[in-house]
Amino acid sequence: MAAITAQMVKELREMTGAGMMDCKAALTETNGDIEAAVDLLRKKGLSKAAKKAGRVAAEGLVGVWADGAKAAVVEVNSETDFVARNDQFQGLVKMIAHVAFKTGDDVAAILAAKDQGGTTVADALTNAVSTIGEHMSLRRAAVLSVGAGVVASYLHNQVDPGLGKIGVLVALESTGSKEELAQLGRMLAMHVAAANPLALDAAGLDPAVVAREQAILAEKNAGKPEHVLAKIVESGLKTYYKEVCFLEQAYIHDTGKSVAQAVKEAEGKVGAPIKVAGFVRFALGEGIEKAESDFAAEVAAQAGIKA
């Protein structure tokens, strides 16, 4: 048995782009034969998958799996929107959402978990990369649950049941009518999809976000007396909270009232007090920097034409 050195693993990684552990395993299996290890990784689809890992994957689908008092939402990315219309990819996203529902929101745990066929999610993704031909990844996941009540969901730009471009979960705690709660929850989830709140209330906002807003207000009103400035900043923050805090936002279905007021009014139909316990909003590709490409330049480069 040949000794597998770090230099050999490094060389194989540079040749294939595969992961370190995959390279080491391939070298061990081929008794240190690098060329044979390259072929082995290609046969397993790992080399192809790894080579594609450098591409920006900002398309794909958001998947939701909901069941009464619990729901999960996941974002699975691909390189192009075309893949999102692929039946295999759609089935993959649904499977991952179901696994997240059972496993939780830790991405590493989801990737290590097995589907009903006994294949890990990580292997299922790798297999899909090899057959579909694009880099794919599970970017994030979230799970909400309540002891009594419902976790409602909404998918914007739905392409198939449980799949869309924006996925929202809203958790409502209440001992009232499940049917009425579900209807209210869906309306609230639609609001979240449209209004994109940053937090449930002011207490849930990132302190850094609040500090930045305070600084902006202070700078805009620089030169005013200190006591006047303090009141302006305080008033400005209240306005800001109404813009970005879920419960304080103007309800999109009736802008004459806040979300909190709409929930309070719904307690009559539900037949019990209602508490909005939390929400999650996943918009496909948000926060991912998409590479800007010059299509004409790409064609010219492939044709060997110098600009």
Side-chain angles (χ1 to χ4, degrees), residues 61-64 72-74 140 152-157 162-170 189 192-193 279-284 286:
L61 287 169
V62 172
V64 167
V73 58
V74 299
R140 53 183 173 164
S153 64
Y154 170 71
L155 280 159
H156 189 62
N157 288 338
L163 302 172
K165 299 295 185 181
I166 298 177
V168 177
L169 306 180
V170 174
V192 171
F279 73 93
V280 177
R281 181 186 187 273
F282 281 4
L284 181 67
E286 63 185 348

Side-chain angles (χ1 to χ4, degrees), residues 201-273:
D201 51 30
L205 285 171
D206 183 342
V209 171
V210 177
R212 185 169 65 247
E213 190 64 23
Q214 285 177 317
I216 292 171
L217 288 166
E219 186 175 340
K220 285 171 64 177
N221 296 279
K224 290 184 171 60
E226 194 65 33
H227 69 285
V228 174
L229 181 61
K231 290 182 178 179
I232 291 174
V233 171
E234 182 182 0
S235 176
L237 282 178
K238 287 181 179 179
T239 300
Y240 178 68
Y241 294 153
K242 290 179 181 179
E243 295 172 353
V244 302
C245 296
F246 183 25
L247 295 177
E248 295 191 36
Q249 287 178 325
Y251 191 38
I252 63 165
H253 303 290
D254 185 351
T255 56
K257 63 186 70 169
S258 68
V259 169
Q261 289 171 331
V263 171
K264 188 65 178 177
E265 288 182 10
E267 291 180 349
K269 285 186 177 181
V270 171

Side-chain angles (χ1 to χ4, degrees), residues 148-150 172-185 188 262-275:
V150 302
L172 299 177
E173 293 181 354
S174 178
T175 56
S177 166
K178 294 289 193 299
E179 184 178 346
E180 292 292 344
L181 273 176
Q183 291 182 15
L184 173 64
L188 292 172
V263 171
K264 188 65 178 177
E265 288 182 10
E267 291 180 349
K269 285 186 177 181
V270 171
I274 305 168
K275 177 185 177 182

Side-chain angles (χ1 to χ4, degrees), residues 292-307:
E292 296 294 332
S293 61
D294 184 334
F295 182 69
E298 289 181 6
V299 172
Q302 290 181 17
I305 302 172
K306 293 183 179 180

